[in-house]
Amino acid sequence: MTDIDPRKADAAVDAFVARLSSGAGLSDGDRAVAYEAALKHLMGHLIEREGWLAEEFSGLARSLGAY
C-alpha cells in the first residue's frame, strides 16, 4: 500500500462523506442508496488496487452488517 499522510487521508475521507451527505434534496432512503453505491464503488477500487486492504475492510464492514 502507498504511504500517505494520515491527515491527507482523513481530509479525503471527510470530503467524500461531506459530498455524499450534502446531496441537496435527497431523502434519507435516497441518501442511503447513494452511500451504498459509493461503498460498492470504493470496494471495487480497493479490490483492484489494494487486495489485502479490501479483504480487511470488507470483513469489518460485514461484521457491522454494512456490506
Side-chain angles (χ1 to χ4, degrees), residues 20-47:
L20 274 176
S21 60
S22 71
L26 288 179
S27 68
D28 289 343
D30 288 343
R31 189 173 300 111
V33 169
Y35 276 119
E36 183 178 351
L39 179 60
K40 287 179 180 178
H41 183 78
L42 178 58
M43 288 303 300
H45 175 77
L46 288 174
I47 289 166

